[in-house]
Amino acid sequence: MSEAEIPIELDRNSVTSLAAQVASQLRAAILDGVLQPEDTLPATRRLATELGISRGVVVRAFEQLSGEGFLVSNGAGGTKVAIRPDINTRPLEGNRPSTPPPRSEVIDLTPGRPSGSPFQDRQWRSAWKAAVTEQVKVQLPPAQGTPELRVAVADHLAVSRGLVVDPDDVIITGGTSDALHLVVAMLRHGGLRPRVLVEDPGYPTARRVMEASGAELVTLPVDEDGLKGSQLEALEHIPDAVLVTPSHQYPLGGRMAVQERIELLAWAGRHGVLVLEDDYDSEFRHSRMPLPAVASLPSTADVVLLGTFSKNLSPWLRCGYLVVRGDAGRRLKATRQALDTPVAGVLQSAIAHYIKGGGLSRHITRARREYAHRRALIIERLGNRKDLEISALDGGLHAVVRFQEPEATEVAATALARGILVVPLAGYYADRRPGNGLVLGYGAVTDLQLSKALAILSSLIGGQEEPMH
């Protein structure tokens, strides 16, 4: 396919950067139909030469538009205009449509959905190619996980979390749900129904999985910074385990203070309580550096770190890991050995190649820029509203928008009728009175989709809908 001709005029006296000018004119050309879906753009080096600017300027413009969903990189196949239902296409002359265009797809702001960009990454395809061309194995993968992936996970945690991990202390899981099932199965070894303390509000799937696995759940009301040591000391019955999200409380978005982490560990050590630290999206911090993992702090308590590739790659993979130590670690390894691994060996091999080749690190860097830009959009569109409280924006892939009225369930229903799927905050509460608000996931949508959704949601929560630019 031939390369598209792109009319770009740069004003070197403008206060707007050259990269922003290039991105703006390319965006306008796509929206106006001058550039069509599947059109191939010139190589960055060639376009830079034609415009008389550095290649880095063009690269930054392309990255910006890729993050917004206008462009997609196909490696050696070049950079192309993305096929999107919200981009106008050039009408054929003399053949105007007699019927209105079909309704655009629903804009899904469900939390927990990351960018799908790694699957378009040349390194991801190379990792899979390396995995499937390895010598065919005729035995099951090791129950604890392949040595290659356990080493890769340990290396990744050393860089991303500053956590020193022995690969032998890593257990590969089929995601967080499988990890929690494994933990409950280990705790039930004596035949008793284990009691697990969980945050309220918290992760509904975790509650459902642990109850289905045979655990008795005890909820503890928390604010956005998680549970407090004083709450633990006041407990009448000591649980067998406690599940916390200290790096980014789910879904309210705060983080547990260091002193509270130390008190949690001291209490757990005294009473023999297993601490389950769900470190689900710690790679994506936008305004503050992450605090050390609870698992890295000195303690006599047994701590299990739950990690997942669902947030930094995709839930479609169904792959994660546990970092285990001490007596609980030995029992978890034995339980995993008894239940066997749920993760295909070829998938483990592909992820190991991707991590070792630097693909995961580079993807996280790119995704962090995308998410930071969408976070800024939410602040820009909703941050000045006095009737809204915006939180959970220090990191991760979602924001929480709280308001007094109208009812969030009514807002969600009306929004869905207008093509916007959002989740009410009430669904994350178990036993306490729920807050009124919405949880907005912004990982998997484009900037344009997010802008459209925010304009509609703003109007439904009593504001004035802003026109799309």
Side-chain angles (χ1 to χ4, degrees):
M1 183 180 292
S2 60
E3 292 181 346
E5 294 294 329
I6 309 173
I8 295 178
E9 295 183 3
L10 300 177
D11 181 2
R12 286 171 169 75
N13 295 320
S14 173
V15 294
T16 303
S17 70
L18 293 176
Q21 291 184 54
V22 172
S24 175
Q25 293 187 47
L26 285 175
R27 187 186 299 108
I30 295 171
L31 291 172
D32 292 342
V34 175
L35 292 174
Q36 291 285 289
E38 289 294 325
D39 278 354
T40 301
L41 273 60
T44 54
R45 196 177 303 280
R46 183 189 140 194
L47 184 56
T49 300
E50 291 178 353
L51 296 176
I53 55 180
S54 72
R55 178 172 175 265
V57 170
V58 179
V59 169
R60 287 195 296 275
F62 279 24
E63 287 181 346
Q64 175 69 35
L65 294 176
S66 294
E68 295 175 9
F70 287 99
L71 301 179
V72 59
S73 175
N74 293 305
T79 300
K80 296 183 179 181
V81 177
I83 299 175
R84 293 169 28 146
D86 53 358
I87 293 179
N88 298 324
T89 56
R90 187 189 303 115
L92 298 175
E93 292 185 11
N95 186 27
R96 295 184 179 275
S98 57
T99 57
R103 181 183 174 187
S104 297
E105 295 180 1
V106 169
I107 298 175
D108 190 347
L109 298 185
T110 303
R113 300 169 61 246
S115 166
S117 60
F119 298 138
Q120 302 159 359
D121 186 353
R122 180 171 57 185
Q123 283 190 286
W124 176 251
R125 293 193 294 270
S126 297
W128 268 99
K129 183 177 179 180
V132 299
T133 55
E134 291 172 344
Q135 183 178 356
V136 177
K137 296 178 175 62
V138 293
Q139 72 273 19
L140 289 171
Q144 194 173 325
T146 65
E148 293 78 13
L149 183 53
R150 288 189 283 116
V151 168
V153 167
D155 291 343
H156 173 67
L157 289 174
V159 174
S160 66
R161 297 294 278 125
L163 193 60
V164 179
V165 175
D166 187 324
D168 190 51
D169 290 336
V170 176
I171 299 176
I172 301 304
T173 69
T176 301
S177 294
D178 171 62
L180 292 172
H181 171 71
L182 181 68
V183 169
V184 174
M186 180 270 288
L187 292 173
R188 289 187 64 190
H189 186 69
L192 300 176
R193 189 181 184 193
R195 181 182 291 112
V196 181
L197 184 69
V198 297
E199 299 170 326
D200 190 7
Y203 187 32
T205 301
R207 296 196 297 263
R208 186 185 72 242
V209 168
M210 289 191 292
E211 282 190 315
S213 300
E216 175 190 351
L217 298 190
V218 180
T219 61
L220 194 66
V222 301
D223 60 18
E224 64 179 17
D225 294 324
L227 54 81
K228 305 291 190 295
S230 58
Q231 291 178 291
L232 297 172
E233 294 293 350
L235 288 174
E236 184 177 351
H237 301 289
I238 302 300
D240 298 287
V242 54
L243 175 65
V244 292
T245 51
S247 294
H248 195 217
Q249 200 284 329
Y250 195 79
L252 300 181
R255 61 179 185 174
M256 186 185 293
V258 171
Q259 185 58 40
E260 299 295 349
R261 298 176 188 221
I262 293 172
E263 290 186 20
L264 164 64
L265 289 172
W267 169 83
R270 287 196 304 273
H271 297 286
V273 177
L274 178 63
V275 177
L276 306 174
E277 178 182 9
D278 188 352
D279 205 44
Y280 65 99
D281 67 358
S282 60
E283 291 101 338
F284 301 115
R285 306 303 300 176
H286 305 313
S287 61
R288 294 189 291 178
M289 292 297 291
L291 291 171
V294 171
S296 70
L297 299 175
S299 171
T300 59
D302 279 342
V303 181
V304 174
L305 179 77
L306 288 75
T308 178
F309 295 111
S310 292
K311 298 299 184 292
N312 54 27
L313 287 176
S314 172
W316 190 253
L317 298 176
R318 302 305 297 155
C319 189
Y321 52 87
L322 294 174
V323 176
V324 301
R325 289 170 182 155
D327 180 62
R330 289 188 290 273
R331 292 160 58 199
L332 278 168
K333 291 175 188 178
T335 305
R336 175 88 292 171
Q337 192 72 40
L339 295 175
D340 218 332
T341 180
V343 186
V346 67
L347 173 60
Q348 295 190 50
S349 179
I351 295 176
H353 282 295
Y354 191 58
I355 296 174
K356 289 180 180 178
L360 178 61
S361 177
R362 281 186 280 273
H363 163 67
I364 288 173
T365 300
R366 291 192 299 266
R368 190 182 290 123
R369 287 198 298 264
E370 290 183 31
Y371 301 152
H373 186 69
R374 291 172 201 154
R375 168 186 181 271
L377 268 178
I378 293 175
I379 295 173
E380 175 189 331
R381 297 299 177 87
L382 303 179
N384 292 327
R385 290 273 302 271
K386 301 297 184 183
D387 57 334
L388 303 180
E389 180 184 346
I390 317 296
S391 60
L393 285 170
D394 281 343
L397 318 177
H398 74 270
V400 174
V401 181
R402 284 179 276 196
F403 43 89
Q404 293 296 320
E405 54 183 25
E407 286 291 332
T409 52
E410 297 176 4
V411 173
T414 307
L416 184 58
R418 299 187 60 177
I420 312 297
L421 178 60
V422 290
V423 179
L425 178 60
Y428 295 86
Y429 288 78
D431 297 323
R432 57 187 294 207
R433 182 178 178 180
N436 189 56
L438 300 172
V439 183
L440 309 181
Y442 55 81
V445 292
T446 66
D447 288 17
L448 194 62
Q449 290 172 322
L450 181 60
S451 293
K452 178 180 178 181
L454 292 175
I456 292 173
L457 290 173
S458 180
S459 70
L460 296 179
I461 312 174
Q464 183 175 357
E465 186 170 340
E466 298 180 6
M468 291 293 295
H469 299 290

